[in-house]
Amino acid sequence: MEKQIAPVIYFGGDYNPDQWDEATIRQDMEYFKRCHINYVALPVFSWAKLEPEEGVYQFEWLDKILSIIWENGIYVCLATSTAAQPEWMSKKYPEIMPVDNNGLKRTHGMRNFYCVNSEKYRERAAAMAEQMALRYKDFPGLVAWHVANEYSTFCHCENCEKKFRLWLKKKYGTTENLNEKWNTAFWGRTVYDFDTIMLPTDRNDDDKFFPAKQLDYQRFVTDTTEECFLNEANVLRRITPDIPVFSNISGFIKKLNQFQLTRNMDFAGWDNYPSPKDDSAFPALKHDIMRGLKDGASYMVAEQSPNQQNWQPYNKLKRPGEVRLLAYQGIAHGGDSALYFQMRQSVGGQEKFHGAVISHSGRTDTRIFREFEQLGEELDRLGGQILDARTKAEVGILFDWDNWWALENCSGPTCDMDYLAQVAHYYRAFHRKNIPVDIVKFTADLSQYKMIVAPLAYMMKEGLANRLKAFAEQGGTVVGTYMTGLADENDRCVFGAYPGPLRELFGIWVEETDALFPEEQNGIRMEDSGKSYVSGFLCDRIRTEGAKVLGRYEKDFYAGEPCVTEHAYGNGKAFYLGTQPDAAFLDDFLGGLCKERQILPVLDADEGVEATCRENQNGKFYFVLNHDIAEKTVRLPEGIWEDLTHQCEREGAFSLTGRDVAVLKKKGESER
Ligand code: GLA
Ligand code: ZN
């Protein structure tokens, strides 16, 4: 059982009160109350202020601020503040400073500028965490620990290199074994001594041209970042065993294997900064990934932007209603919070133009502040009833970090390889239909699903092939794609034709794969309907060995050859897509499979309305989110429904204005 995050939906976010005087802080408390803000995270970057010289701590200013915050009934997530070490520390212990990919030893400055493998950094960070925990263990407002901030530093220092060698020695035992697993016979890279192995960097180009080594380096960085997190978390847990501990995940989730990193956290939490160009499905997918990290447990949306950002190339304002819409989208997918960076806009520094709940104007009669007042009031009314509510999905989409890294480390077949974008392409087909999806690990138990979609499951590892076969055997529907079953966990390709261990499942083998130029297209012609669709990206030349052909290529020298196949396997079926079909194909094809398997949408609503459902002992909560600016209709199943957002009753069809949201619960539905 995960530790329960909170008794309420946390609403608030990063507060940096060490930047202001007491009068401003007291004023902020009044403003916060007007928005029903119940949670602040601090002091994320205040190590320099807390430890002015080694072993000398200065907590009085923080004591004061915390007491003002708690006097006002606001919960506190205390950050250990170790994301930016003090300048004196970097000077005194240069080993803390990271070395970049070009071999440049960086000097003090940026945040997240430390080597996660520096023993000195770890020693000082653990000491800081210990001081914090000892000082505030009895602070009544403390609800969570926030360790560091958005881990993401890839260091290439000598110390990291030494540790990497030890890591490899532990993993492979002998150089012979490593040589075999890394296939070092290629380009004469035979290793005779672990101590001569170099980190993959831009200087040796091993980060681009030695995929097996690069993959292990990415695993090594996750392992050692995990150690770095545990270095602080263990101290905190010893002193405050009942307070949950986490670290916020950056929205750029590729860098570290988050399945692994979050296994030691009491909950997952992430920072959601969609690009203004993202459609509504992309953040939805990332939320679902977050829910998948801890097997369906609710998570924290630890940061969002209250308005524009400062670091996008063009920092669009959040459109009216957008902050509220995005907040509900996070909750709709399994988040138990709506948290923001930042509460008050800083007067100077790199983020001075980043949006905030309270802007430089200091006024409350602003568009954004009013939106926070409304959102706060609504979330306050919802109270704790939806906390920890789960999503029930019958479709699982497989997702994996090793697979992601290995696919994108590949030279060929195309430079346009983007695993997350590919996963999103398939995810969108379900999102458009409001069919709930779980994002599942390659190692997960699949038995609870009716359908498993495995986009580009390139790397067969940890028994995945057998689990997929067993799933189909027992009646499951599997959908696989091009770039499946090509390599093992060391990125060594399979012999005996792709999709390797899944040949038997799909009843096909792939003879060769053609890459298309971005502007180039092929077509899929379906055998039964005669309907045509557009395809692109890659085209597998498929040879069937038991599978039935459902669709054939329309162009090129392989026109007329199979590109969509179906294979009966045990009590189930396995479908293979040899090329990337367009959205229309996926709507028809996956829509058809869902119908066949009786996988139903959450609710019936116009296009542009997202609908999800979360369920707990208090009942089923339906979320409807109109991502369009035009009014849209939602058609409710029979019965009287309580609209918890608009505080009214609904029956049959009702309309939602542009960007409006409703949380609904059927009246009279018995609570479990
Ligand atoms: C990240 C950081 C925050 C802040 C925001 C700005 O998510 O965690 O400290 O810099 O970005 O968008
Ligand atoms: Zn290092």
Side-chain angles (χ1 to χ4, degrees):
M1 187 61 192
E2 302 298 328
K3 280 180 195 165
Q4 168 102 23
I5 296 182
V8 291
I9 296 175
Y10 287 145
F11 183 54
D14 282 29
Y15 189 39
N16 301 300
D18 41 320
Q19 300 181 24
W20 302 293
D21 58 20
E22 191 180 328
T24 311
I25 295 168
R26 291 200 182 272
Q27 174 75 83
D28 286 347
M29 295 301 123
E30 290 314 308
Y31 291 172
F32 288 176
K33 270 194 248 172
R34 284 173 51 183
C35 300
H36 297 268
I37 278 164
N38 57 27
Y39 171 109
V40 291
L42 81 167
V44 183
F45 300 104
S46 304
W47 197 351
K49 188 154 180 173
L50 289 165
E51 192 179 355
E53 58 182 286
E54 187 164 347
V56 176
Y57 296 96
Q58 207 175 252
F59 278 110
E60 294 70 19
W61 64 271
L62 186 56
D63 296 346
K64 175 89 193 156
I65 289 170
L66 289 178
S67 77
I68 298 176
I69 292 171
W70 188 235
E71 258 166 45
N72 287 279
I74 296 171
Y75 292 115
V76 173
C77 169
L78 264 179
T80 55
S81 88
T82 50
Q85 73 276 12
E87 190 173 54
W88 63 258
M89 197 181 289
S90 305
K91 272 287 207 207
K92 189 166 172 188
Y93 304 113
E95 63 151 279
I96 290 178
M97 297 315 297
V99 172
D100 74 12
N101 202 19
N102 292 306
L104 189 67
K105 173 93 176 164
R106 306 305 297 263
T107 57
H108 184 85
M110 231 338 225
R111 61 178 178 174
N112 281 354
F113 238 33
Y114 54 85
C115 168
V116 293
N117 285 309
S118 157
E119 286 306 320
K120 202 33 114 177
Y121 171 81
R122 290 193 188 178
E123 174 204 303
R124 299 314 315 154
M128 183 70 238
E130 184 176 35
Q131 290 297 319
M132 276 279 197
L134 289 173
R135 185 126 186 145
Y136 299 116
K137 64 181 179 356
D138 298 320
F139 173 61
L142 175 63
V143 289
W145 287 111
H146 171 125
V147 173
N149 195 68
E150 295 191 340
Y151 282 115
S152 58
T153 309
F154 276 53
C155 174
H156 303 80
C157 74
E158 275 177 21
N159 182 35
C160 285
E161 192 160 70
K162 268 190 210 140
K163 256 190 109 164
F164 184 52
R165 291 168 180 162
L166 290 173
W167 186 94
L168 291 170
K169 199 165 181 181
K170 190 158 166 233
K171 179 165 181 179
Y172 295 107
T174 62
T175 52
E176 289 75 16
N177 187 29
L178 175 127
N179 283 319
E180 191 198 325
K181 297 290 163 46
W182 280 9
N183 193 39
T184 55
F186 176 79
W187 278 358
R189 290 169 178 273
T190 310
V191 170
Y192 292 100
D193 184 346
F194 281 99
D195 288 341
T196 61
I197 298 174
M198 284 185 256
L199 288 175
T201 64
D202 260 358
R203 284 179 302 159
N204 54 29
D205 269 345
D206 278 358
D207 54 348
K208 291 179 218 69
F209 297 112
F210 200 163
K213 187 198 228 184
Q214 174 65 10
L215 178 63
D216 269 339
Y217 172 63
Q218 286 167 293
R219 290 169 169 154
F220 163 79
V221 176
T222 294
D223 274 6
T224 52
T225 302
E226 183 182 31
E227 283 174 13
C228 198
F229 168 78
L230 281 173
N231 171 58
E232 291 186 46
N234 290 340
V235 172
L236 300 170
R237 287 180 174 134
R238 174 167 51 77
I239 302 168
T240 58
D242 298 326
I243 303 295
V245 185
F246 88 115
S247 181
N248 56 332
I249 301 168
S250 148
F252 300 101
I253 57 177
K254 181 187 168 186
K255 283 187 151 186
L256 300 164
N257 177 347
Q258 305 296 348
F259 281 130
Q260 185 182 330
L261 213 59
T262 54
R263 70 184 175 181
N264 292 301
M265 297 184 190
D266 291 304
F267 50 81
W270 80 295
D271 301 342
N272 177 27
Y273 291 96
S275 143
K277 289 185 177 161
D278 287 347
D279 64 354
S280 67
F282 202 54
L285 166 62
K286 286 196 183 172
H287 283 303
D288 284 352
I289 293 174
M290 293 302 134
R291 196 180 71 243
L293 291 181
K294 292 180 88 70
D295 306 311
S298 50
Y299 55 88
M300 282 256 227
V301 181
E303 289 179 28
Q304 308 196 71
S305 183
N307 197 353
Q308 82 284 357
Q309 284 127 267
N310 66 306
W311 49 265
Q312 305 267 11
Y314 303 95
N315 294 283
K316 303 292 285 182
L317 293 179
K318 288 269 189 302
R319 296 355 247 178
E322 205 180 338
V323 166
R324 176 169 169 270
L325 181 63
L326 288 172
Y328 277 107
Q329 189 182 34
I331 299 169
H333 283 266
D336 275 351
S337 67
L339 300 174
Y340 294 85
F341 176 88
Q342 51 194 336
M343 305 313 294
R344 179 182 270 279
Q345 199 167 22
S346 55
V347 70
Q350 203 263 348
E351 290 173 334
K352 62 185 184 296
F353 291 134
H354 195 291
V357 179
I358 303 161
S359 66
H360 286 153
S361 72
R363 298 179 67 108
T364 54
D365 56 350
T366 62
R367 180 176 72 87
I368 288 298
F369 192 86
R370 288 202 173 120
E371 214 166 301
F372 272 81
E373 280 179 313
Q374 183 194 346
L375 180 57
E377 197 186 310
E378 289 175 7
L379 295 180
D380 191 51
R381 228 173 24 237
L382 273 180
Q385 55 182 329
I386 61 156
L387 291 175
D388 213 26
R390 302 288 166 128
T391 302
K392 289 208 170 131
E394 295 180 315
V395 177
I397 295 186
L398 290 182
F399 190 75
D400 182 78
W401 265 267
D402 287 324
N403 193 65
W404 191 349
W405 297 333
L407 256 176
E408 294 183 13
N409 291 344
C410 282
S411 177
T414 169
C415 65
D416 291 335
M417 187 58 73
D418 180 338
Y419 180 53
L420 193 62
Q422 286 290 320
V423 172
H425 182 60
Y426 293 93
Y427 176 87
R428 278 190 185 98
F430 297 99
H431 189 259
R432 281 192 290 273
K433 291 187 188 305
N434 285 319
I435 290 176
V437 168
D438 275 349
I439 299 297
V440 295
K441 297 178 189 150
F442 277 22
T443 50
D445 170 21
L446 307 176
S447 60
Q448 60 177 301
Y449 301 104
K450 289 184 179 170
M451 189 192 298
I452 291 292
V453 182
L456 295 85
Y458 166 84
M459 184 180 281
M460 287 295 117
K461 57 171 211 178
E462 294 165 329
L464 173 63
N466 288 337
R467 265 195 308 284
L468 280 172
K469 284 196 248 176
F471 172 74
E473 195 137 18
Q474 285 146 25
T477 303
V478 177
V479 180
T481 71
Y482 43 91
M483 295 305 282
T484 286
L486 277 79
D488 69 7
E489 70 281 2
N490 283 102
D491 205 13
R492 291 168 57 98
C493 290
V494 298
F495 278 154
Y498 315 138
L502 294 177
R503 270 174 69 179
E504 201 192 315
L505 173 66
F506 292 113
I508 58 152
W509 67 279
V510 176
E511 187 177 333
E512 47 190 356
T513 301
D514 197 13
L516 272 55
F517 295 121
E519 67 282 4
E520 211 183 347
Q521 292 178 338
N522 204 311
I524 302 171
R525 193 180 159 79
M526 296 306 277
E527 294 274 273
D528 57 354
S529 64
K531 218 171 153 180
S532 286
Y533 302 92
V534 172
S535 93
F537 189 52
L538 294 173
C539 294
D540 281 349
R541 287 196 53 234
I542 296 172
R543 307 278 295 269
T544 58
E545 41 186 14
K548 183 177 147 193
V549 179
L550 299 182
R552 295 182 187 274
Y553 288 113
E554 290 190 309
K555 290 189 197 160
D556 223 313
F557 75 91
Y558 39 87
E561 291 185 5
C563 59
V564 181
T565 62
E566 169 182 343
H567 188 227
Y569 193 84
N571 295 322
K573 285 180 187 170
F575 298 87
Y576 189 87
L577 308 176
T579 182
Q580 183 194 290
D582 62 3
F585 173 94
L586 290 178
D587 285 346
D588 289 351
F589 178 74
L590 293 174
L593 291 183
C594 285
K595 262 207 190 105
E596 192 181 310
R597 299 300 322 265
Q598 292 182 307
I599 300 170
L600 302 172
V602 169
L603 277 179
D604 181 19
D606 284 355
E607 200 186 312
V609 176
E610 183 178 12
T612 71
C613 179
R614 289 180 66 184
E615 190 177 342
N616 65 10
Q617 70 281 1
N618 301 318
K620 285 186 184 166
F621 298 88
Y622 289 82
F623 293 80
V624 284
L625 311 141
N626 182 2
H627 288 283
D628 211 310
I629 44 169
E631 190 168 296
K632 297 278 168 170
T633 303
V634 179
R635 289 164 288 273
L636 294 169
E638 67 174 43
I640 314 266
W641 292 72
E642 226 182 309
D643 182 332
L644 303 171
T645 320
H646 302 94
Q647 295 177 285
C648 63
E649 287 185 352
R650 308 265 188 204
E651 197 180 353
F654 73 96
S655 55
L656 272 183
T657 56
R659 294 205 188 94
D660 197 7
V661 168
V663 184
L664 301 151
K665 193 166 177 255
K666 197 165 176 176
K667 277 198 89 167
E669 187 206 47
S670 59
E671 294 179 0
R672 282 188 295 127

